[in-house]
Amino acid sequence: MMAVTENKGGPLAELSAAGVAIWLDDLDRGRLRTGGLEALMHDKHVVGVTTNPTIFAKALEHGDEYDEQTRDLASRKVSIDEAVRSITTYDVRWAADVLRPAYDASNGADGRVSIEVDPRLARDTKNTVAEAKALWWLVDRENAFIKIPATLEGLPAITEALAAGISINVTLIFSLERYDAVAEAFLTGMEKAKENGHDLSKIESVASFFVSRVDTEVDKRLDKIGSDEAKALRGSAAIANARLAYQHYEKAFGSDRWKALAAAGAHPQRPLWASTGVKDPAFPDTRYVVELVAPGVVNTMPEATLDATADHGEIKGDTVTGGYEDAQAALDKLTAVGIDLDDVVKVLEDEGVDKFEVSWKQLLETVEKQLAGGAA
């Protein structure tokens, strides 16, 4: 088995040394078959993987890596939903085995591979829990993460899944208020897990705070306002929002309530920066990496962002914890020019759920076509 990483220098080594776990926001079977994921662990300090319906839909549409499995599934005449579960959990299980050295080296914090609950269930607490349990059982790897969105209906599902001993990646977090609710759901879930007799040291969680989409939505509104004052604030929302989320993290995981769980073996729910690919070419392509460096966080990057950071990222140490006042001032300025931040995060959550539903339907349609071809 290839080593987790070499002691190579460069920006990614500096980022890792600063306490940021580097994860890849991508997965496909070709990368697994050719050893591409192992190479990223070895060369670029990658210690985790996140997936989502969009990533799987893209993987299924390109190449022939899935043809043999879809032919077998077609021969068995399985349903489309069952076929999707079989295909995606196969890749996640394989990736989890590849990442097992990172899992062992980090005492279970890293070496994780995330798989998302069917996004059509995002507003359905009961069935989200049932699907989370099914995916946990199907992947059957202790270094998996089941992704549950931080919708209002998702919050109690997060608690219940944690209480059942399932490690959870909470996704689609945009607002500080919702992040506080996610931390509460985590703490309650871990307390229940303890009551249920689970080993808390085996249950991990991350809270995925989405970054670039915040700038995309806010900047669109700033451009519509059109004043010089508004235009000067472009690109100021996402990093400020994420930095304040870290402040909220420090508060939640500095409490006596958390300390009691930590004494029982629990590990904190780490903040994870998601959506870190820069969408506006006016901004540096590494900004959502280098401006969000703090101890104990995860940054999951598309490969283009990973490569850009490796090539020319300027790691300046902790760029988060000393900037809370400036971050709050940035959000206050946005409010002053007419940006309704509460509406921004509501729109982003709704759009996030909708986009993943669209990708899921695209995935279902792709698998349906392949099943039809395999049965012919």
Side-chain angles (χ1 to χ4, degrees):
M1 176 67 72
M2 189 176 289
V4 175
T5 186
E6 290 187 343
N7 292 319
K8 297 182 177 181
L12 293 176
E14 294 172 24
L15 189 64
S16 181
V20 178
I22 300 167
W23 291 8
L24 177 71
D25 191 30
D26 194 24
L27 184 65
D28 64 73
R29 197 163 294 179
R31 190 189 295 277
L32 292 165
R33 182 181 57 79
T34 61
L37 178 57
E38 258 190 319
L40 290 176
M41 295 169 65
H42 184 260
D43 297 332
K44 293 189 175 176
H45 297 263
V46 169
V47 291
V49 166
T50 49
T51 70
N52 59 47
T54 303
I55 286 170
F56 280 124
K58 181 180 176 182
L60 265 291
E61 284 183 340
H62 301 285
D64 57 3
E65 295 287 345
Y66 299 89
D67 289 356
E68 181 179 355
Q69 187 179 15
T70 52
R71 282 195 299 269
D72 291 343
L73 291 167
S75 296
R76 292 173 48 218
K77 296 181 172 56
V78 304
S79 69
I80 297 170
D81 283 346
E82 183 181 347
V84 168
R85 287 193 194 94
S86 296
I87 291 166
T88 57
T89 56
Y90 184 96
D91 283 6
V92 169
R93 187 163 47 250
W94 188 349
D97 289 342
V98 172
L99 282 159
R100 181 68 195 221
Y103 174 80
D104 292 336
S106 64
N107 193 28
D110 292 312
R112 296 276 174 173
V113 187
S114 297
I115 183 170
E116 189 146 355
V117 166
D118 182 338
R120 295 172 298 179
L121 304 176
R123 309 291 184 186
D124 183 336
T125 301
K126 180 180 177 181
N127 285 321
T128 290
V129 174
E131 186 71 6
K133 290 178 177 178
L135 290 173
W136 186 250
W137 177 78
L138 281 167
V139 174
D140 194 27
R141 295 294 185 272
E142 63 185 33
N143 55 325
F145 264 143
I146 308 303
K147 290 176 77 174
I148 296 177
T151 58
L152 290 175
E153 298 83 357
L155 294 172
I158 292 160
T159 293
E160 191 168 338
L162 288 164
I166 299 172
S167 293
I168 299 296
N169 177 343
V170 182
T171 188
L172 287 178
I173 308 172
F174 296 98
S175 76
L176 298 172
E177 180 182 10
R178 187 58 55 82
Y179 174 65
D180 288 342
V182 167
E184 171 66 26
F186 170 78
L187 293 170
T188 302
M190 294 298 281
E191 288 164 349
K192 290 185 175 182
K194 181 182 177 183
E195 291 172 6
N196 292 339
H198 291 289
D199 180 352
L200 300 190
S201 69
K202 296 293 186 181
I203 307 171
E204 289 286 335
S205 184
V206 291
S208 296
F209 214 86
F210 279 51
V211 184
S212 67
R213 294 189 196 183
V214 175
D215 272 342
T216 299
E217 179 64 24
V218 170
D219 290 356
K220 179 175 67 176
R221 298 184 185 208
L222 289 170
D223 290 343
K224 188 174 181 180
I225 292 170
S227 67
D228 290 342
E229 186 182 10
K231 290 178 181 178
L233 297 175
R234 294 185 86 259
S236 65
I239 290 170
N241 197 44
R243 286 173 175 168
L244 290 174
Y246 192 84
Q247 182 185 35
H248 285 230
Y249 158 75
E250 289 183 313
K251 181 178 179 181
F253 292 91
S255 67
D256 290 340
R257 184 181 179 193
W258 163 247
K259 289 173 183 176
L261 285 168
H267 300 155
Q269 181 187 55
R270 292 184 295 172
L272 179 150
W273 310 132
S275 183
T276 55
V278 174
K279 297 175 174 61
D280 188 335
F283 299 138
D285 55 2
T286 62
R287 73 189 309 255
Y288 300 125
V289 178
V290 301
E291 298 297 338
L292 291 174
V293 177
V297 302
V298 178
N299 193 312
T300 185
M301 312 176 201
E303 191 164 13
T305 303
L306 181 71
D307 290 343
T309 303
D311 180 64
H312 54 265
E314 296 183 10
I315 308 304
K316 300 169 284 188
D318 185 340
T319 51
V320 173
T321 59
Y324 301 145
E325 288 187 10
D326 288 344
Q328 186 59 58
L331 297 189
D332 291 343
K333 288 178 183 177
L334 290 166
T335 300
V337 299
I339 299 298
D340 184 344
L341 292 171
D342 288 339
D343 185 67
V344 166
V345 296
K346 181 182 184 304
V347 166
L348 287 171
E349 180 180 305
D350 291 343
E351 283 185 351
V353 172
D354 290 345
K355 285 177 181 178
F356 280 168
E357 279 194 35
V358 169
S359 295
W360 192 262
K361 290 174 183 176
Q362 181 183 355
L363 176 58
L364 292 172
E365 290 169 2
T366 301
V367 171
E368 184 177 21
K369 290 176 184 176
Q370 294 195 6
L371 289 176

